[in-house]
Amino acid sequence: MANITLKGNPIHTKGNLPNVGSKAPDFKLTNGELGERTLNDYKGKRLVLNVFPSVDTGTCAASVRKFNEEASNLENTVVLCVSRDLPFAMNRFCAAEGLKNVETLSEFRDQNFSEAYQLQITDGPLQGLMSRAVVVVNEEGNVIYTEQVPEIVNEPNYGEALASLK
């Protein structure tokens, strides 16, 4: 399990992120139109999985904005913003912010993503939500970068995540 903090207070995740060099675990998530998306839908694309507890918090919203800004400059790359938020909430946020370079996906129907990536928070006030993390997957479906953000109120290291794609 990963040991992280929420405003300095210890909390934990179910496990650890996939190892760099391993195959990215498959997943089933719900998109903004309530359709199902799987890892196979992105075959041949580079993926940035921006995972967070809820788009309705400042840090989570900031990560979606930042990856949206950076995604427009990346070839053959899709940024997937993943949370347990309802697709309607994520659609509303992106529409209000004018964000068009990220795809939002929700785990509200099935918890197979947080299980496969071991991201479910197991205790504390955010229990049941996913921790803040970034996983980058190359065109072959291999994990090339991971970051389990140690303090959940902090933003991920955008520079390192994006540098892994160069």
Side-chain angles (χ1 to χ4, degrees):
M1 100 180 98
N3 297 313
I4 57 177
T5 57
L6 172 62
K7 298 182 180 177
N9 298 306
I11 57 176
H12 305 91
T13 65
K14 201 166 198 175
N16 295 304
L17 292 170
N19 292 322
V20 170
S22 68
K23 280 290 186 194
D26 197 9
F27 57 78
K28 181 172 51 175
L29 294 163
T30 304
N31 69 10
E33 291 74 43
L34 302 179
E36 184 178 285
R37 301 293 278 179
T38 67
L39 182 63
N40 195 51
D41 292 323
Y42 303 98
K43 191 173 184 176
K45 300 277 186 189
R46 301 183 311 170
L47 300 177
V48 176
L49 304 174
N50 175 33
V51 186
F52 48 84
S54 174
V55 76
D56 287 326
T57 66
T59 306
C60 301
S63 73
V64 175
R65 286 186 202 101
K66 182 67 173 178
F67 278 122
N68 176 77
E69 176 186 321
E70 299 292 335
S72 61
N73 302 320
L74 303 174
E75 286 188 36
N76 195 38
T77 303
V78 180
V79 176
L80 303 178
C81 295
V82 182
S83 77
R84 286 247 173 102
D85 289 313
L86 291 175
F88 315 113
M90 291 196 286
N91 284 347
R92 182 180 61 248
F93 172 80
C94 288
E97 297 281 331
L99 307 180
K100 300 181 189 294
N101 298 319
V102 296
E103 185 175 334
T104 58
L105 296 173
S106 174
E107 191 186 51
F108 86 102
R109 286 187 178 149
D110 190 326
Q111 297 175 7
N112 73 63
F113 179 86
S114 61
E115 182 68 32
Y117 288 79
Q118 296 291 289
L119 289 164
Q120 186 175 34
I121 298 171
T122 60
D123 54 7
L126 299 179
Q127 182 176 353
L129 296 177
M130 286 185 278
S131 65
R132 184 176 320 288
V134 177
V135 177
V136 180
V137 179
N138 68 13
E139 298 92 328
E140 291 80 37
N142 297 317
V143 175
I144 60 171
Y145 173 85
T146 63
E147 177 188 9
Q148 173 63 72
V149 178
E151 169 54 61
I152 204 161
V153 299
N154 293 341
E155 293 181 57
N157 188 328
Y158 304 108
E160 283 188 22
L162 297 171
S164 72
L165 294 165
K166 296 182 183 185

